[in-house]
Amino acid sequence: MTSEITLFVNPTAGRGRGARAALPAASALRAAGHDVRTVVGETAADALARARAAVADGTGALIAVGGDGLAHLALQAVAGTRVPLGLIAVGTGNDLARALGLPVRDPEAAGRVVADALREGRLRDLDLGHAEPAAGAPGTAAGTGPGGPGADGGRWFGSVLASGFDSRVNDRGNRMRWPAGRLRYDLAMLAELAAFRPFPYRITLDDGAVREIEATLVAVGNGPSYGGGMRICPGADPADGLFDVTVVGDCSRRTLLRVFPRVYRGTHVTHPKVTVHRAAKVVLAADGITGYADGERLGPLPLTVRCVPGAVRVLVP
């Protein structure tokens, strides 16, 4: 492995933590004998183009310094290659780093973990989800969000693809200009609760029969959590070749409010309105519903989602 590695930096992650974290991370890597090159794009598309160029030029590793959004962008550059991905997780959610047992919001410690993993060859091949517009979907769905398209028009993701009530909250929050930060999404959740109703879904698992159901949300988990530690798919293993698909059924507003706090512990899956399926391929369709993966907007359903075994190589503790 070449000693030259690439730091892929989001300067705005965690209200500026990305830019501040790049310095101690780079110092730890240089102290370990690596030549460090930094990539910061002017836009998400520009950043992705620069990251892909670094991978094509043979960088020894791509180290994402930011939150889940930047990790998601980095996956578009390294998926399907043998270039290792490292994470310096300093964003708001950091769910992919949590799933890998990596330090969170501690760039010096994360830099040392990455440096040690490079030195000792501690690498792990992980599955990724791949989402693309389902056959016959009108217009363009996946690949149009801020993360930019995958090479084939689809998008890779590492943690969870969300749809339904949670994605409607994201949609509303993204449209709001005030207030800033998490409060915006708290208010968006209250507004969606006021208008709450289950959605008619059509779900196909592994090319089986189409299931027509009323559901509050459907989450496709390559990893266990989203939203900064909400364990929506608590049993998901990103190395078993299968998704965990969590379906919250046609519950009432009162039931949703009772069940929702249990998501942080992952105990919601024992509720009778919640079912979990396992599949390598999922087709989700529902009118007026947007899909989000790793917290990034993909586009409207229907989407076809596939689990791709060993699609990315990551540096681990």
Side-chain angles (χ1 to χ4, degrees):
M1 182 182 295
T2 177
S3 65
E4 182 179 277
I5 62 174
T6 302
L7 275 188
F8 187 35
V9 180
N10 179 2
T12 65
R15 299 186 182 181
R17 282 194 297 267
R20 294 191 297 271
L23 295 176
S27 296
L29 293 164
R30 290 191 176 104
H34 295 284
D35 297 324
V36 179
R37 171 191 174 195
T38 301
V39 167
V40 182
E42 295 182 3
T43 64
D46 179 53
L48 178 55
R50 292 171 186 259
R52 283 179 169 154
V55 170
D57 289 344
T59 187
L62 186 69
I63 314 299
V65 185
D68 283 332
L70 192 76
H72 178 82
L73 204 58
L75 289 175
Q76 315 312 310
V78 298
T81 76
R82 305 312 290 163
V83 174
L85 173 66
L87 297 176
I88 309 293
V90 294
T92 303
N94 307 309
D95 286 289
L96 184 55
R98 293 174 197 274
L100 298 175
L102 293 166
V104 171
R105 297 184 187 172
D106 188 342
E108 291 185 31
R112 290 193 297 270
V113 167
V114 167
D116 290 346
L118 287 167
R119 184 182 67 251
E120 298 171 12
R122 293 201 305 264
L123 302 167
R124 185 181 177 196
D125 289 337
L126 294 183
D127 308 337
L128 290 178
H130 187 268
E132 60 187 4
T140 301
T144 60
D152 59 357
R155 292 269 284 283
W156 299 96
F157 65 94
S159 55
V160 176
L161 186 153
S163 72
F165 176 77
D166 43 9
S167 67
R168 290 289 289 264
V169 170
N170 266 328
D171 282 340
R172 184 181 289 269
N174 291 342
R175 292 194 301 268
M176 294 168 65
R177 294 293 174 261
W178 183 90
R182 277 195 180 275
L183 182 56
R184 175 189 304 171
Y185 293 93
D186 291 341
L187 292 177
M189 179 178 291
L190 291 174
E192 285 299 322
L193 277 171
F196 173 74
R197 58 180 173 78
F199 310 103
Y201 270 88
R202 298 175 301 284
I203 304 174
T204 309
L205 304 176
D206 288 333
D207 297 319
V210 176
R211 306 176 186 215
E212 297 190 4
I213 63 171
E214 295 279 323
T216 300
L217 65 86
V218 179
V220 181
N222 183 58
S225 71
Y226 65 178
M230 292 189 289
R231 297 177 60 80
I232 187 68
C233 301
D237 179 351
D240 65 357
L242 293 170
F243 295 125
D244 276 26
V245 183
T246 299
V247 179
V248 179
D250 59 343
C251 59
S252 66
R253 185 183 295 112
R254 179 177 296 179
T255 299
L256 179 61
L257 288 170
R258 276 203 310 268
V259 172
F260 183 79
R262 295 169 57 180
V263 173
Y264 287 93
R265 301 186 303 275
T267 58
H268 62 290
V269 295
T270 63
H271 192 278
K273 286 291 185 179
V274 179
T275 57
V276 179
H277 310 272
R278 307 198 78 216
K281 177 184 174 184
V282 183
V283 181
L284 295 178
D287 294 338
I289 299 297
T290 302
Y292 284 77
D294 298 334
E296 299 297 304
R297 185 182 189 276
L298 300 183
L301 274 53
L303 294 171
T304 296
V305 192
R306 293 179 174 84
C307 184
V308 182
V312 65
R313 176 164 284 187
V314 295
L315 298 161
V316 294

